[in-house]
């Protein structure tokens, strides 16, 4: 059978002491500062953009003249240059609508260090729970062994590790291994197709009528503690003098908040991984709406001349949308479905929540509430869950585009364009017998 090379990433937690953590923090700050120096050299060079060769020469010269830049490994410095140039390519390319590269702020940029060469890692396994990895200018470091890595042990899959990236999450460091494995090309998935509607009250609703939900990411005690810490941080900011550096007490409070939020994110990612794996195993195609999530989360504050309305409500809705991480769910499902011979398809989202999946009409007032849909078309009258109705509309649009027969879960075939139905009062008047002249 045909074989393909599968590129994946594996995240593991590093077990660092205080000295090693300080070294990695310093390297991450050096990498951020090098990015800023490159950005200044690239964009403010007498009105002319610098070439890749000029940037490489400037880096080599800067490492000779600036002492603290030598704390960053040479390979990591070259990786910063490669990432910076790739950011400009993504900005210029019409296929990657990325934002223009800009300076990275110290307190906002994500701290990371790249190790582009896999041979520098020298990975060995200690026991069932721990492994050893070599980090340039840091030394041998233990990491949590949760999965067999390709090319490391005999029991592991065939392949190799091409490199790694060190990323700081809250107050701890993780290592992200870049792996390549040789696997057989997947056969086409033979399972059924399903539509999937993403929401806030119901995280995932399937066209089969199933609702996939989850509880809060933090326990009641953790939520209360997070609220106390956020109020404490607000008091500490209010009493701080303007123009002074952040106090150590406020820094510790921020670190405690970051730990709790990182815990919530890990639990959310774990639920998304388990849910998307089950969906990819079960369905041959999953149809979702092609949502512009960034546009949906735009602020409603408006301008000084024209202030917006319902700003607090919109802010709460934006937080709820961000908490569900709709884009990450689709991202996980995309590569998992491809590994199993399935696919993810996107359809236009216009009217999926107002259209009845059975009669394909949009009748005013059919969406009675957030969870209830009752078709006001007198010839239909379907009543059910609004999220399930939207998911079935997505599946119908996918089948219609593929030229397949679309049915409303056992009802008559659906085809043609969406029809807008008159209100119920007008429909009754149209079907009522005429009065005698």
């Amino acid at each position: 059978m045909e074989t393909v090379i599968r590129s994946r990433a594996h995240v593991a937690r590093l077990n660092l002491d205080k000295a090693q953590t300080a070294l990695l923090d310093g390297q991450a700050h050096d990498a951020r500062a090098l990015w800023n120096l490159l950005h200044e050299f690239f964009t403010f060079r007498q009105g002319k953009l610098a070439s890749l060769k000029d940037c490489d020469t400037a880096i080599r010269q800067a490492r000779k003249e600036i002492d603290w830049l030598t704390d960053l490994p040479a390979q990591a410095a070259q990786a910063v240059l490669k990432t910076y140039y790739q950011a400009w390519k993504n900005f210029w390319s019409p296929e990657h609508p990325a934002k223009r590269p800009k300076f990275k702020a110290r307190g906002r940029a994500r701290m990371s260090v790249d190790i582009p060469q896999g041979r520098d890692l020298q990975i060995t396994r200690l026991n069932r729970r721990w492994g050893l990895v070599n980090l340039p200018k840091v030394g041998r470091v233990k990491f949590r062994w949760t999965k067999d890595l390709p090319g490391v042990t005999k029991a592991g899959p065939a392949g190799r590790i091409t490199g790694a990236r060190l990323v700081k999450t809250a107050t701890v460091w993780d290592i992200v291994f870049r792996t390549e494995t040789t696997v057989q090309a997947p056969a086409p998935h033979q399972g059924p197709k399903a539509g999937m509607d993403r929401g806030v009250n119901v995280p995932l609703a399937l066209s089969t009528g199933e609702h996939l939900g989850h509880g809060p990411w933090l326990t009641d005690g953790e939520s209360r503690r997070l609220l106390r810490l956020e109020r404490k941080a607000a008091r500490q900011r209010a009493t701080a003098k303007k123009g002074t550096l952040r106090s150590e007490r406020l820094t510790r409070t921020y670190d405690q908040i970051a730990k709790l939020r990182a815990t919530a994110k890990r639990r959310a990612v774990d639920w998304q991984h388990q849910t998307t794996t089950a969906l990819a195993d079960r369905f041959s195609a999953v149809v979702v709406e092609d949502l512009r999530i960034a546009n949906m989360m735009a602020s409603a504050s408006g301008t000084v001349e024209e202030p917006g309305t319902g700003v607090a409500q919109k802010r709460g809705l934006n937080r709820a949308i961000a908490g569900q991480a709709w884009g990450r769910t689709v991202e996980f499902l995309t590569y998992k479905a491809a590994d199993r011979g399935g696919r993810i398809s996107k359809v236009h989202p216009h009217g999926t929540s107002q259209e009845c999946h059975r009669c394909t009409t949009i009748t005013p007032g059919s969406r009675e509430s957030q969870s209830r849909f009752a078709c006001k078309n007198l010839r239909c009258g379907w009543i059910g869950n609004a999220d399930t109705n939207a998911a079935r509309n997505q599946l119908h649009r996918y089948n219609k585009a593929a030229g397949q027969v679309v049915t409303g879960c056992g009802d008559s075939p659906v085809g043609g364009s969406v029809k807008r139905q008159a209100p119920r009062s007008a429909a009754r008047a149209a079907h009522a017998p005429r009065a005698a002249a």
Side-chain angles (χ1 to χ4, degrees):
M1 295 182 64
E2 181 184 359
T3 59
V4 295
I5 297 178
R6 181 178 295 171
S7 299
R8 290 290 180 267
H10 174 64
V11 184
R13 177 61 50 84
L14 292 174
N15 186 19
L16 302 171
D17 56 27
K18 292 184 178 180
Q20 293 171 336
T21 301
L23 285 174
L24 280 185
D25 289 347
Q27 290 186 9
H29 287 304
D30 293 345
R32 179 191 54 82
L34 180 58
W35 173 286
N36 292 338
L37 292 174
L38 276 172
H39 188 59
E40 183 178 4
F41 179 79
F42 185 80
T43 55
F44 299 99
R45 189 170 174 264
Q46 298 178 354
K48 182 180 179 181
L49 297 180
S51 63
L52 182 63
K53 182 179 179 181
D54 294 337
C55 291
D56 181 66
T57 304
I59 288 178
R60 295 177 186 273
Q61 186 65 27
R63 288 176 62 84
K64 294 179 181 178
E65 298 176 356
I66 304 176
D67 295 336
W68 51 265
L69 268 182
T70 57
D71 296 337
L72 183 68
Q75 295 289 344
Q78 292 298 320
V80 173
L81 175 58
K82 182 179 178 181
T83 305
Y84 179 76
Y85 248 77
Q86 186 61 44
W88 276 107
K89 290 181 180 179
N90 294 342
F91 172 70
W92 288 326
S93 174
E95 300 177 357
H96 297 82
K99 295 183 179 179
R100 179 187 176 93
K102 59 182 181 180
F103 291 104
K104 293 187 176 181
R106 179 181 178 90
R108 298 177 183 176
R110 191 173 191 181
M111 299 180 65
S112 62
V113 180
D114 200 271
I115 306 176
Q117 301 293 337
R119 62 174 180 268
D120 296 337
L121 298 174
Q122 302 176 13
I123 303 172
T124 56
R125 185 171 186 178
L126 291 178
N127 50 46
R128 185 170 63 90
R129 294 181 179 272
W130 296 99
L132 273 179
V133 61
N134 183 67
L135 304 183
K137 296 196 174 185
V138 177
R140 302 290 284 175
V141 176
K142 293 173 63 176
F143 69 93
R144 191 82 165 115
W145 191 284
T146 58
K147 183 179 181 181
D148 287 334
L149 298 171
V152 178
T153 59
K154 294 182 179 180
R160 66 192 183 102
I161 297 177
T162 60
R165 189 172 184 85
L166 309 176
V167 180
K168 190 171 186 179
T169 305
T171 58
V172 296
W173 280 90
D174 294 334
I175 182 169
V176 184
F177 295 103
R178 293 189 288 266
T179 65
E180 287 185 354
T181 55
T182 303
V183 297
Q184 294 183 351
H189 201 297
Q190 301 301 322
K193 304 177 181 63
M196 186 179 71
D197 183 67
R198 293 165 287 175
V200 175
N201 295 331
V202 179
L204 299 177
L206 303 181
S207 57
T208 58
E210 302 170 75
H211 290 174
L212 307 179
H214 56 76
W217 304 127
L218 295 176
T219 63
D220 293 340
E222 290 171 337
S223 298
R224 290 193 296 268
R225 183 166 181 265
L226 178 60
L227 181 60
R228 288 198 302 268
L229 290 172
E230 289 175 341
R231 291 175 175 174
K232 181 180 178 181
R235 292 193 300 270
Q236 291 172 338
R237 287 195 303 268
T239 57
K241 296 181 180 179
K242 293 184 179 180
T244 59
L245 296 177
R246 180 193 299 174
S247 65
E248 294 184 0
R249 292 183 178 180
L250 181 57
T251 301
R252 286 196 298 268
T253 305
Y254 280 152
D255 290 342
Q256 293 172 344
I257 293 174
K259 286 182 180 180
L260 285 173
R261 291 178 176 173
T263 299
K265 182 178 179 180
R266 285 195 302 269
R267 292 170 182 172
V269 171
D270 179 69
W271 178 84
Q272 288 176 314
H273 271 300
Q274 295 187 36
T275 303
T276 53
T277 299
L279 292 174
D281 289 336
R282 181 179 173 186
F283 298 106
S284 62
V286 178
V287 187
V288 297
E289 294 175 319
D290 188 11
L291 299 176
R292 300 294 185 263
I293 302 176
N295 297 341
M296 296 175 60
M297 296 178 60
S299 176
S301 57
T303 61
V304 177
E305 294 78 10
E306 297 181 0
T309 58
V311 178
Q313 294 85 344
K314 185 62 167 62
R315 190 185 301 118
L317 177 61
N318 291 345
R319 284 197 297 266
I321 294 175
Q324 295 298 337
W326 293 343
R328 190 168 60 207
T329 300
V330 174
E331 181 182 355
F332 289 170
L333 193 54
T334 299
Y335 79 83
K336 291 181 180 181
D339 291 345
R340 294 158 176 79
R343 61 176 300 180
I344 295 296
S345 297
K346 295 182 179 180
V347 297
H348 198 279
H350 178 69
T352 55
S353 59
Q354 287 82 30
E355 176 187 344
C356 176
H357 75 275
R358 175 181 287 183
C359 61
T360 68
T361 59
I362 297 180
T363 309
S366 294
R367 184 69 182 265
E368 295 184 346
S369 64
Q370 183 67 29
S371 60
R372 177 182 169 84
F373 187 93
C375 183
K376 297 301 187 291
N377 184 0
L378 297 180
R379 297 183 179 181
C380 177
W382 184 85
I383 300 175
N385 184 268
D387 298 318
T388 302
N389 176 73
R392 291 176 179 175
N393 282 327
Q394 296 165 29
L395 179 61
H396 291 173
R397 293 185 182 185
Y398 167 78
N399 290 334
K400 183 179 178 181
Q404 301 178 8
V405 177
V406 184
T407 61
C409 296
D411 302 316
S412 58
V414 175
S417 59
V418 177
K419 303 176 182 178
R420 294 189 176 272
Q421 195 76 8
R424 171 171 284 186
S425 58
R428 287 178 175 174
H431 289 85
R434 292 184 179 180

